[in-house]
Amino acid sequence: MNHTIHTSDERDKEEASRPSSSLERERCPECGGLIGHDHPQGERTCLNCGLVLDENELDRGPEWRALDDNADERRRVGAPATNLLHDRGLSTTIGWQDRDANGRSIDSRKRSRMNRLRTWDERFRTKDSRERNLKQALGEIERMASALGLPKSCRETAATIYRRALDEDLLPGRSIEAMATASLYGAARQHNTPRTLVAFESVSRVEKLPIQRAYRYISKELGLAVEPADPVEYLPQIASPLGISEEAERRAHELLETAKGEGFLSGKAPAGLAAAAVYAAAQLTNEPLTQETVSEAANVSTVTIRIRYQELLEAYGAQHNR
DNA sequence: ACCTTATTCTATCGGAT
DNA sequence: ATCCGGTAGAATAAGGT
């Protein structure tokens, strides 16, 4: 987060170089995957590797315009509000230094008074059980997310989910840890950077079962819509590192669309379908591409590719024969 | 809270180009 | 020799009662 106060020339330069917003799909510079646009914070993350691009497209930082006469005092607000801190980072903490506002040290009587104030300040800020609950849960979310390498936007979502669960009184009777893990699990799925339950079990302090239960519970109560991803979304990130022709990629797309029309897609893993489509398309365009290669690029087993690609061709043939 | 179902993965083997 | 197709059994995730 950059809070530096820029000089006016720097600001002009920045505005001049800001790209006009483009609607076409962008590709990740790291892996060639699609860039998602749908995050509330405005981050754009790679759907494949989770790379976060320009984190603060919507800058919640300080505003640049001075609103009063004092031109040097442009900074009117503090750090951006975040859901990751239990008080959203908005509360004030009494400093630890025994100095007054002018930097002079204060006498011992005032000093002990300040100590008492600090004690009460701390008590009030974490005053009820909800706050303490949140504080602990958000700490856990943070810890697990970094252990699993989940992007910051994902942690924000997890924090938001947890807050909603807390607001809806879904927590009594369930462990904080399980709910926190479940929130993160759901958030990871919504951000297209899913991790297996086993992975969460390894970084969480609770077993897999309570996590699963907690997740089912909150996803039902909160209506967390994790819509199954469209296999088409996976196409480019699988196809581009393989260097197949435009023609093949187009046909892979076509195969998926016809299969979708025939209802062959429901319940199947989208990544597997996309991989199969790439392989099938390579066959149709006579490009040398082994199942093994596609399998590695897509992180899908060769078995799955085999089964799916036969179904895709079947669906394609079925439509072609009518 | 337990059980069921659908899907995918690992490992493996035989056949074909 | 490599690639492909099929199979068995375990694991995983989601749903139902």
Side-chain angles (χ1 to χ4, degrees):
Chain A
M1 225 67 61
N2 186 3
H3 290 162
T4 331
I5 297 184
H6 291 194
T7 66
S8 53
D9 340 329
E10 274 173 339
R11 208 184 340 143
D12 293 340
K13 244 184 288 172
E14 235 176 58
E15 268 165 16
S17 66
R18 190 159 295 165
S20 53
S21 72
S22 50
L23 286 175
E24 75 267 15
R25 296 297 244 169
E26 291 174 78
R27 297 295 175 80
C28 171
E30 288 292 319
C31 66
L34 277 181
I35 302 298
H37 291 270
D38 48 351
H39 305 314
Q41 247 68 35
E43 293 100 333
R44 298 177 309 141
T45 61
C46 174
L47 297 175
N48 185 36
C49 63
L51 181 74
V52 179
L53 308 172
D54 38 292
E55 210 160 84
N56 269 320
E57 210 172 80
L58 299 177
D59 192 354
R60 295 186 178 189
E63 55 194 332
W64 299 118
R65 210 154 56 85
L67 292 173
D68 53 20
D69 294 340
N70 193 346
D72 291 333
E73 275 300 328
R74 286 195 177 118
R75 194 172 41 187
R76 194 172 64 150
V77 296
T82 172
N83 279 330
L84 287 172
L85 294 173
H86 76 105
D87 51 13
R88 293 186 161 86
L90 292 179
S91 70
T92 310
T93 309
I94 299 179
W96 57 272
Q97 294 169 71
D98 288 320
R99 308 254 165 191
D100 65 15
N102 295 321
R104 283 187 287 272
S105 55
I106 54 185
D107 63 50
S108 67
R109 223 188 51 180
K110 281 185 179 148
R111 206 172 299 171
S112 65
R113 221 172 119 194
M114 286 300 292
N115 278 328
R116 275 205 314 282
L117 282 173
R118 271 187 212 109
T119 304
W120 282 104
D121 183 44
E122 187 63 29
R123 284 181 191 164
F124 276 121
R125 278 194 297 123
T126 57
K127 63 177 179 306
D128 54 32
S129 59
R130 282 170 52 96
E131 292 296 300
R132 282 195 298 276
N133 185 324
L134 248 185
K135 205 175 180 179
Q136 192 192 336
L138 296 182
E140 284 302 309
I141 286 174
E142 189 67 20
R143 183 183 62 78
M144 292 184 288
S146 68
L148 293 174
L150 292 167
K152 193 185 133 223
S153 57
C154 189
R155 301 173 205 181
E156 289 274 0
T157 306
T160 308
I161 293 173
Y162 192 87
R163 270 176 199 286
R164 287 184 56 201
L166 195 59
D167 287 340
E168 309 265 332
D169 287 324
L170 300 181
L171 275 87
R174 257 157 280 267
S175 81
I176 293 173
E177 180 80 12
M179 291 300 279
T181 315
S183 301
L184 189 59
Y185 177 63
R189 297 180 53 151
Q190 287 190 329
H191 282 258
N192 282 311
T193 51
R195 300 289 185 275
T196 64
L197 275 171
V198 183
F200 277 100
E201 189 180 27
S202 66
V203 296
S204 179
R205 275 190 261 264
V206 289
E207 298 296 309
K208 190 173 71 179
L209 218 67
I211 299 173
Q212 201 172 10
R213 269 200 272 280
Y215 173 70
R216 284 227 306 198
Y217 186 57
I218 60 174
S219 74
K220 183 177 179 179
E221 296 296 322
L222 262 42
L224 293 185
V226 185
E227 70 281 11
D230 190 336
V232 173
E233 302 274 317
Y234 287 81
L235 267 183
Q237 59 181 289
I238 296 170
S240 61
L242 294 174
I244 67 173
S245 65
E246 285 292 321
E247 169 69 6
E249 196 166 339
R250 195 185 58 73
R251 297 194 76 149
H253 200 285
E254 191 182 329
L255 280 168
L256 285 177
E257 291 299 337
T258 58
K260 194 191 289 179
E262 299 283 317
F264 270 80
L265 264 52
S266 79
K268 309 297 194 299
L273 283 163
V278 169
Y279 176 71
Q283 299 282 294
L284 290 175
T285 54
N286 288 318
E287 290 174 49
L289 197 59
T290 71
Q291 296 178 351
E292 181 63 28
T293 322
V294 183
S295 159
E296 279 171 27
N299 275 317
V300 168
S301 77
T302 57
V303 180
T304 307
I305 293 178
R306 271 203 285 280
I307 298 171
R308 291 290 97 79
Y309 108 87
Q310 284 164 5
E311 284 175 3
L312 285 177
L313 292 179
E314 199 179 311
Y316 187 75
Q319 195 170 72
H320 203 273
N321 288 339
R322 255 181 269 138

